[in-house]
Amino acid sequence: MKLASEASVFEALQVGSISLIELAATSALHAATEEIAAMLLADFDAGSYVEDFFIHATTRAGSCYQAQLALGHGFVTGTPALVTASTFADLATGDTLASTEYKIDAEKGGINIISTVDLQGYYVRVTYSAGFEIDDVDDELFASVPQWLQLIATKVGCAALIEMAPDLAGSAQGEAGRKPEEIRKAAYRMAEKKMRYFPSPIRPI
């Protein structure tokens, strides 16, 4: 799957859409998606998930108690539903946590519980959806991809395409005038703050 279009790659390279390299551009963007997934520690396919957590510790913040959950997937869509219970067996009929008692980092897939109730020793079940749907027009392209992620995909796609078609390199204009490793370094710098990293998180059991 692709996170950006071939047109974005050609525009960045400042070359026209050349039929001979259109297929290569598509392959480069597919490769870029896999490379970026590894870079961000993420995946992009749309899906629905149910994950269970055990809150082994909380931190006090004024009158509230906090716990950081790291979901198994980033790019969360919609609002997750959280259910709490004192035992794992009771999760099926547990208490729903009000949406005012947690904050979501949708892109990274993190949930910060901020509750007036100390949930240490409790179980939490999170039901959520994540990932990108397929574009209606181009069935190899993800839809609703954030602009920053499209830009990174375009850069990595450019680097991969130059490696596949070295004759594109050497132009004084656009990304074609840069070495593939330089383009990748720029993409990695952009991605650093978007990595799915959480300090001391609680992960699914």
Side-chain angles (χ1 to χ4, degrees), residues 43-51 72-74 81 125-131:
D43 55 72
F44 308 115
D45 293 291
S48 299
Y49 307 97
V50 178
E51 295 174 353
H73 304 269
R125 174 165 291 168
V126 182
T127 303
Y128 68 102
S129 297

Side-chain angles (χ1 to χ4, degrees), residues 17-202:
S17 178
I18 306 169
S19 59
L20 291 176
I21 62 170
E22 283 182 357
L23 289 177
T26 301
S27 296
L29 285 167
H30 278 275
T33 299
E34 295 183 10
E35 189 172 334
I36 294 166
M39 188 190 309
L40 297 177
L41 307 176
D43 55 72
F44 308 115
D45 293 291
S48 299
Y49 307 97
V50 178
E51 295 174 353
D52 298 325
F53 300 80
F54 176 70
I55 309 299
H56 54 78
T58 57
T59 57
R60 187 76 179 265
S63 60
C64 295
Y65 299 87
Q66 296 189 23
Q68 177 73 57
L69 309 184
L71 300 175
H73 304 269
F75 302 104
V76 174
T77 57
T79 302
L82 276 68
V83 173
T84 66
S86 57
T87 67
F88 181 79
D90 288 337
L91 276 175
T93 56
D95 298 320
T96 299
L97 195 66
S99 60
T100 55
E101 297 200 81
Y102 58 90
K103 294 181 179 180
I104 307 164
D105 185 332
E107 288 186 348
K108 291 187 176 181
I111 294 180
N112 188 25
I113 295 176
I114 309 171
S115 177
T116 54
V117 176
D118 188 0
L119 294 175
Q120 182 172 332
Y122 275 65
Y123 291 86
V124 177
R125 174 165 291 168
V126 182
T127 303
Y128 68 102
S129 297
F132 306 121
E133 298 290 345
I134 305 303
D135 185 78
D136 289 336
V137 177
D138 183 348
D139 60 7
E140 291 189 7
L141 181 68
F142 284 123
S144 304
V145 178
Q147 286 295 320
W148 64 266
L149 185 52
Q150 291 185 45
L151 183 55
I152 292 173
T154 297
K155 285 186 175 295
V156 178
C158 285
L161 182 57
I162 291 172
E163 290 169 345
M164 293 178 183
D167 289 346
L168 288 173
S171 169
Q173 297 180 327
E175 299 287 20
R178 304 172 64 189
K179 295 179 180 179
E181 56 268 27
E182 293 176 349
I183 302 174
R184 274 198 173 85
K185 284 180 180 178
Y188 272 65
R189 286 194 296 270
M190 294 173 61
E192 280 180 346
K193 294 182 180 180
K194 301 291 187 176
M195 288 179 61
R196 296 194 67 238
Y197 169 76
F198 304 95
S200 304
I202 300 172

